[in-house]
Amino acid sequence: DMIAVIMGAEDYKSRFSEAETLLNYGFSLCDVYEDHHPEQLTPMQVVDGKAELVKLKFGDVFRYVETGGGDLSQMQKELVLPAQVKAPVKAGDIAGEMVYRLGETVIGSSAIYFAEDVEIATYGDYLKKVLDYLLF
């Protein structure tokens, strides 16, 4: 959002004309980066869970407005996730993040969430896994 303040204008027509000129200039200096997360997230390994893997999902679309003339085509993304997680896991909890850098400067991040629940495995769950392995 931009606001133009014009003081000392002769009339409303010149005030609107000057405000339009200022806003056009301001918006011409802006460039917007949007990441709709086209990357496919691989499921994360779950330790001591009823399921061995849990699906992940991105949060909101990441947006950044550059006003300093930086080259947004040089945006670098880094996925920051642990290799595994210990059960229990709740859908909607934060699993990690996607970090965005422009050069060496971190400009923001976007959360990555667990997409499903994974309960702690019980003795019966482990016994079933062993039997499935031995019989099939």
Side-chain angles (χ1 to χ4, degrees):
D1 294 337
M2 287 192 195
I3 298 173
V5 178
I6 309 299
M7 298 174 71
E10 294 178 14
D11 59 12
Y12 74 93
K13 289 182 182 182
S14 62
R15 185 171 46 249
F16 284 127
S17 175
E18 292 297 322
E20 179 183 19
T21 302
L22 281 174
L23 291 172
N24 285 337
Y25 174 73
F27 282 116
S28 72
L29 297 177
C30 295
D31 196 8
V32 177
Y33 175 84
E34 287 188 343
D35 186 11
H36 295 277
H37 309 294
E39 300 87 6
Q40 188 73 350
L41 292 170
T42 57
M44 184 183 292
Q45 184 177 2
V46 180
V47 177
D48 297 335
K50 286 188 176 185
E52 294 180 7
L53 297 173
V54 61
K55 293 180 183 176
L56 304 173
K57 65 180 181 177
F58 285 105
D60 294 333
V61 172
F62 177 77
R63 290 181 179 89
Y64 176 72
V65 177
E66 174 62 40
T67 59
D71 184 7
L72 293 180
S73 67
Q74 301 299 316
M75 186 72 68
Q76 298 171 346
K77 299 189 287 186
E78 178 187 0
L79 189 61
V80 180
L81 285 172
Q84 60 189 16
V85 65
K86 188 165 176 62
V89 172
K90 291 193 175 234
D93 285 352
I94 295 177
E97 64 183 350
M98 179 72 80
V99 177
Y100 296 86
R101 287 187 172 86
L102 197 53
E104 294 297 318
T105 305
V106 174
I107 60 163
S109 64
S110 178
I112 298 172
Y113 300 96
F114 294 112
E116 55 193 357
D117 294 333
V118 178
E119 296 177 14
I120 296 175
T122 62
Y123 178 75
D125 295 318
Y126 288 117
L127 183 60
K128 184 178 184 281
K129 283 183 185 181
V130 169
L131 290 174
D132 285 344
Y133 178 76
L134 291 175
L135 297 176
F136 300 105

